[in-house]
Amino acid sequence: MDRGGGQQTFVEDVNRLQVIKCVLVGDRAVGKSHLVCAKMSGTKYTMRDLVQTHISTVWAIDHYRSNSDVQRRSICTVECVTCSLRLWDTFGNHEKDRQFAYSSADVILACFSVADRRSLGHVETHWMPEVHRMCGSHVPVVLCACKIDMRYLYNDPAYMDLAKAASQRKLSSEDVVFPDEGKEVAKRLGIYYYETSVLVQYGIDEVFSNCIRAALISKRRGKILVGLGNLKSVVRPHLQVPHLPPRPLPPRLNEVEGKDVAGLDASMVGNREFTDVVFLVQGREIEAHCVFLIAASTAFQGFLEEMFGVETKSSGAASNLDSRSLTCSQVTLTGSELVSQVNDFDIDMVGDFGHFHDDRRVSEADTGIGDGGDPRACSWRSLSHDPEGLSAAHAAGGECSSVGQLFSRRFSMSARRCRALSLKLSEAGSWGVSTRHLPDFEVEADSEKDSGLNLRTPTASSTCLSSVLSQQSTENGKDRVTIAVDESVTPSQFRTVLHFLYTGDLPDNLSDDAFMALKRVAQLFGLDDMDRMITNILNEESFLNLEIKRKFREEKSRQLSALFLGQDYFSDVSIEVDDGLIRGHLALLSARCDVLLTMFSSEFSERSTGRVRFPGVGVDAFLGVLEYLYTGKCPSSCKDWAGLFDLCDRFFLPHLMASAEVVVIRQLMAAMESGADVVEMALVLIGPATLHGARQLVKHCTWILRVNYKDLIENNASVVETFDDRLQSELVRDRWPPVWSVCRDFGRVRR
């Protein structure tokens, strides 16, 4: 049979079926047309479709004549009775005349939106009176709640964004109609009650099947159906299984970027507070901080370790900042060379240091060389006491292990005196001491009080640094090293070098000649990154410096963590907590935390004592704060997150608070996915998070308690009772599964 004949036969078959006319009424924008299209056309809706601006439409009844797919979908079999369901959509305007639609109606479907409380009230005040006036009281009415997905979507971030874009009013929980309210209205009116959602395809077939049942039972009571077989099998509308909404999505997690501490470190360039090294540049003193120099340059690290007599410390991985080294421990002198150089070294006092001579020679006894003594054990202290004794080292051919061992920090003098060692930049480019370049000197003294050595800058162009070690005591008893820089380096150039070491930045307003001079200085100090950045600037490829700067700062942070975090290495402050003692570094802590800067200022005792106590704080929490201050990154793990949040408040570190929230939330989500008991974790964290204003963490802990409400009440009811009333009511209101989804006593209300 051709397609035309098949269509005609199908229409004839439909015309022989009993037609059930179902009229949909209700306020505008409650979802009547969407419900009809979902049933008769199989339309699927997305959230974006449902939040679009409403345009009043009516689904045309002509579809039953012109659309064979609609005709097929209209065929319904209910309890062995096959019917053709005809849905009549109507306008929601109250003043419209709907008399034609009501004519010969078999059942009325009164719709309201759970997102519009007024539409439910209008069912009682307008639509039911209109139905009774137009159809009489014998026509059954079914109350239908549309858009029940809005009960949990009203606070969904994705929906809220779409609704905001569509200029829709923001909903609250007070605007949403819950099942018990709809059930109460249906009970008062004596009608059936069902719920639907075209978004999740819930209750659509069910509500219309029960509308057919209600219509058939009404016809059976009035004996309207004649010759359609036995209707005794038709039962009253069924109870509706409550809709279980999907588990709420966790709150949106706002990621926090790592903190750029370069700007904070820049404030310490040229800052005289907490300095422990002084550079003499063309007669000018430029103060600096060892912690920043060592973290930025392995060359400065080795050199300063030797000058301070600090044991060489490895960060665990080779640094890629410098290919050269300032360390003095590379140089080895034989005993004979040592005697020759020390006894022939001539130093003239210049400037404010005056002039002195000392004819004493180095003795064998003071060197510890001879009579079984270890030639490697000689020190500057022994040499300075007996100038006669170094000849034995010459005779024995012994070696001193390093110049840094020879010129150790045991050698001290007054604040106006310094001791000098001329350092040579070797041909290989590394900082070291070559014996053939050491200038001749002799020791002179005006008095025992003023005895000492002073720098005389060599005239050789190859010599660029002189280290001057003075054990000057700062306010907290801290040693200071003075280092003289070669005359070819200007103060402005050296300040640029320091600024780069502190921040990784270079000025961009210099001339090419100035950059070329800086490039030479960078090569002199073995700063490869600085050298490459200047090259890129000269080649007009400054964009390449962004990656160099990023890697430089990352490596500097790694070095700060590996070398200094909680270590005694170059430390100058002791931090007492309840369960331990932690060493810290004043310059870095003060640069990156304003509260600690104030605490260590000269007006407080912590500045002079170099010791500060934090009662009620544990080691784990404080080390977490130190890790953030040293690296700019939140610790990935901590045994005392509550203590960490408390310190964030004490030290006013909102960025650390936000970062710690993200870390803890990720750990909670991972534990939840693995099946761990996250309820206990959330109960432990929600109190401190609320107290210290960790809002993201509070939201996620509340969400965990909501979606595990049953376990929460069964195992921790006493803890829940300690919550404030607001939190308790929020947990009950937003619990999952909601109470109405597990209650089975609603659905059909008997007339």
Side-chain angles (χ1 to χ4, degrees):
M1 183 180 295
D2 59 15
R3 301 179 65 181
Q7 175 73 14
Q8 182 178 2
T9 302
F10 178 78
V11 173
E12 292 174 355
D13 292 340
V14 170
N15 291 335
R16 288 196 296 266
L17 298 176
Q18 176 64 32
V19 175
I20 301 297
K21 181 179 180 181
C22 177
V23 181
L24 285 79
V25 297
D27 289 357
R28 61 189 300 271
V30 298
K32 301 185 301 294
S33 298
H34 286 158
L35 186 60
V36 174
C37 291
K39 173 62 179 176
M40 291 303 173
S41 301
T43 306
K44 307 291 184 181
Y45 292 95
T46 65
M47 190 185 301
R48 185 179 298 275
D49 297 330
L50 298 178
V51 298
Q52 291 178 351
T53 303
H54 174 72
I55 300 176
S56 296
T57 57
V58 173
W59 193 78
I61 194 65
D62 292 341
H63 287 302
Y64 288 102
R65 296 181 180 178
S66 59
N67 194 321
S68 60
D69 185 60
V70 172
Q71 292 173 351
R72 289 187 178 90
R73 288 178 177 273
S74 68
I75 304 301
C76 301
T77 300
V78 177
E79 275 82 49
C80 300
V81 178
T82 303
C83 305
S84 177
L85 179 63
R86 304 297 177 91
L87 300 181
W88 286 64
D89 193 9
T90 61
F91 285 103
N93 305 75
H94 291 187
E95 65 278 4
K96 288 284 186 177
D97 184 6
R98 283 168 286 272
Q99 185 174 2
F100 177 74
Y102 284 123
S103 177
S104 303
D106 296 311
V107 61
I108 305 297
L109 187 63
C111 301
F112 73 94
S113 171
V114 299
D116 185 0
R117 189 172 293 276
R118 294 175 303 173
S119 63
L120 177 60
H122 291 159
V123 171
E124 287 189 273
T125 60
H126 178 79
W127 297 110
M128 285 301 292
E130 181 177 289
V131 168
H132 290 156
R133 185 172 64 254
M134 295 292 182
C135 303
S137 59
H138 67 281
V139 176
V141 180
V142 175
L143 182 61
C144 178
C146 300
K147 303 181 181 180
I148 66 166
D149 44 79
M150 292 304 300
R151 291 193 181 125
Y152 54 87
L153 284 181
Y154 74 91
N155 58 357
D156 181 80
Y159 171 80
M160 294 171 67
D161 290 343
L162 291 173
K164 183 178 180 180
S167 301
Q168 291 191 7
R169 181 175 64 92
K170 184 178 180 180
L171 297 177
S172 65
S173 59
E174 289 74 18
D175 299 321
V176 177
V177 179
F178 289 94
D180 55 345
E181 299 175 83
K183 182 180 69 174
E184 185 63 29
V185 171
K187 185 176 181 179
R188 287 200 302 267
L189 297 175
I191 59 179
Y192 302 101
Y193 176 72
Y194 293 92
E195 297 188 334
T196 61
S197 169
V198 298
L199 180 63
V200 298
Q201 297 290 299
Y202 168 76
I204 298 173
D205 292 332
E206 193 172 8
V207 67
F208 289 114
S209 296
N210 285 291
C211 283
I212 293 174
R213 289 188 178 96
L216 292 178
I217 290 176
S218 177
K219 289 178 178 291
R220 185 178 63 186
R221 288 174 179 173
K223 298 181 180 180
I224 299 176
L225 295 178
V226 179
L228 286 181
N230 188 7
L231 297 180
K232 292 182 179 180
S233 60
V234 179
V235 298
R236 289 178 297 180
H238 296 170
L239 292 172
Q240 186 179 31
V241 177
H243 173 58
L244 177 63
R247 191 181 76 175
L249 295 175
R252 180 181 299 170
L253 181 60
N254 297 322
E255 299 290 343
V256 180
E257 296 182 356
K259 188 173 184 179
D260 184 7
V261 295
L264 301 177
D265 293 348
S267 64
M268 299 302 291
V269 180
N271 193 327
R272 301 175 66 90
E273 291 287 335
F274 317 114
T275 56
D276 46 12
V277 60
V278 180
F279 292 94
L280 296 177
V281 187
Q282 294 185 353
R284 298 184 184 180
E285 291 187 352
I286 300 178
E287 301 186 23
H289 310 84
C290 288
V291 63
F292 295 111
L293 303 182
I294 291 174
S297 169
T298 54
F300 274 95
Q301 176 187 355
F303 184 75
L304 293 174
E305 283 176 345
E306 195 70 29
M307 291 299 98
F308 276 92
V310 177
E311 182 180 356
T312 301
K313 185 177 180 65
S314 173
S315 64
S319 172
N320 60 5
L321 294 180
D322 308 293
S323 60
R324 307 179 183 183
S325 175
L326 287 168
T327 180
C328 300
S329 60
Q330 297 173 351
V331 182
T332 301
L333 301 179
T334 64
S336 58
E337 292 172 332
L338 190 58
V339 171
S340 174
Q341 295 296 334
V342 171
N343 288 333
D344 294 337
F345 200 103
D346 177 69
I347 292 182
D348 294 329
M349 302 305 295
V350 294
D352 296 333
F353 294 101
H355 182 79
F356 65 90
H357 296 278
D358 191 343
D359 294 331
R360 292 175 296 176
R361 310 294 291 176
V362 180
S363 70
E364 179 183 52
D366 287 329
T367 62
I369 303 175
D371 296 333
D374 185 357
R376 297 178 180 272
C378 64
S379 69
W380 182 261
R381 189 174 195 179
S382 60
L383 297 176
S384 63
H385 285 177
D386 188 348
E388 300 292 337
L390 203 57
S391 59
H394 185 284
E399 294 183 354
C400 179
S401 61
S402 68
V403 174
Q405 183 180 0
L406 177 64
F407 303 98
S408 66
R409 64 190 300 250
R410 303 181 213 144
F411 184 60
S412 62
M413 59 177 297
S414 65
R416 292 179 56 83
R417 300 298 179 192
C418 58
R419 301 191 177 150
L421 168 65
S422 294
L423 298 182
K424 174 73 176 60
L425 181 63
S426 67
E427 296 177 355
S430 62
W431 286 104
V433 180
S434 177
T435 57
R436 64 178 182 274
H437 293 291
L438 284 174
D440 294 336
F441 73 96
E442 62 182 29
V443 179
E444 300 180 353
D446 293 337
S447 65
E448 182 178 356
K449 177 180 178 181
D450 292 334
S451 63
L453 296 176
N454 189 24
L455 169 68
R456 182 187 67 184
T457 304
T459 58
S461 60
S462 60
T463 302
C464 59
L465 272 187
S466 295
S467 67
V468 182
L469 179 61
S470 60
Q471 194 153 338
Q472 305 173 24
S473 295
T474 58
E475 296 179 19
N476 60 350
K478 185 177 180 180
D479 293 344
R480 289 163 62 103
V481 165
T482 302
I483 301 176
V485 182
D486 184 75
E487 291 292 336
S488 63
V489 181
T490 66
S492 62
Q493 291 173 345
F494 194 76
R495 290 191 184 97
T496 302
V497 170
L498 290 182
H499 190 273
F500 172 78
L501 294 174
Y502 278 63
T503 67
D505 284 328
L506 286 176
D508 54 3
N509 56 351
L510 301 180
S511 63
D512 289 351
D513 292 339
F515 274 123
M516 287 298 298
L518 273 179
K519 182 177 177 65
R520 181 188 62 82
V521 173
Q523 293 172 351
L524 192 67
F525 285 98
L527 301 176
D528 292 345
D529 285 338
M530 183 176 178
D531 186 11
R532 288 196 298 270
M533 291 178 68
I534 294 174
T535 300
N536 291 335
I537 293 174
L538 294 174
N539 294 337
E540 298 183 354
E541 296 176 338
S542 300
F543 62 91
L544 298 176
N545 290 342
L546 295 176
E547 183 65 15
I548 298 176
K549 185 194 308 183
R550 183 187 65 80
K551 291 183 177 180
F552 177 88
R553 291 177 177 177
E554 287 182 355
E555 179 65 15
K556 179 183 172 184
S557 295
R558 192 191 67 80
Q559 292 285 84
L560 285 171
S561 176
L563 296 174
F564 298 98
L565 180 57
Q567 303 295 322
D568 192 47
Y569 183 68
F570 280 88
S571 63
D572 49 12
V573 63
S574 297
I575 302 167
E576 294 184 32
V577 293
D578 289 349
D579 51 350
L581 184 69
I582 305 172
R583 297 292 293 172
H585 304 80
L586 287 172
L588 191 142
L589 296 176
S590 302
R592 299 184 177 184
C593 179
D594 291 337
V595 175
L596 292 177
L597 173 62
T598 303
M599 182 177 295
F600 295 136
S601 64
S602 57
E603 289 80 8
F604 293 89
S605 61
E606 287 82 1
R607 174 64 180 272
S608 58
T609 62
R611 199 175 188 89
V612 59
R613 174 166 174 75
F614 293 99
V617 178
V619 168
D620 292 324
F622 204 91
L623 282 177
V625 172
L626 287 186
E627 182 175 347
Y628 170 77
L629 294 178
Y630 279 59
T631 66
K633 298 178 182 178
C634 176
S636 58
S637 63
C638 181
K639 297 179 181 179
D640 186 12
W641 288 112
L644 183 66
F645 293 141
D646 177 57
L647 289 177
C648 290
D649 259 359
R650 288 198 194 187
F651 296 151
F652 192 65
L653 299 172
H655 183 268
L656 175 57
M657 177 80 76
S659 302
E661 287 183 84
V662 174
V663 173
V664 174
I665 290 169
R666 286 176 176 169
Q667 292 179 355
L668 286 173
M669 295 298 103
M672 191 170 184
E673 292 178 0
S674 64
D677 184 10
V678 294
V679 174
E680 294 289 342
M681 302 179 190
L683 288 174
V684 171
L685 291 170
I686 192 169
T690 303
L691 177 64
H692 300 296
R695 298 179 181 178
Q696 279 205 98
L697 184 56
V698 170
K699 290 181 180 180
H700 279 78
C701 288
T702 304
W703 174 82
I704 289 175
L705 299 180
R706 284 171 48 201
V707 300
N708 295 278
Y709 187 81
K710 182 179 178 181
D711 294 339
L712 175 67
I713 296 301
E714 290 179 353
N715 303 320
N716 300 278
S718 59
V719 179
V720 176
E721 292 176 357
T722 63
F723 293 165
D724 58 77
D725 294 339
R726 181 195 60 80
L727 181 56
Q728 289 191 47
S729 61
E730 182 179 349
L731 290 175
V732 173
R733 182 193 65 207
D734 299 331
R735 57 167 288 183
W736 185 87
V739 64
W740 46 264
S741 69
V742 297
C743 182
R744 298 280 180 168
D745 62 349
F746 82 96
R748 181 186 65 186
V749 179
R750 297 184 181 181
R751 295 184 60 184

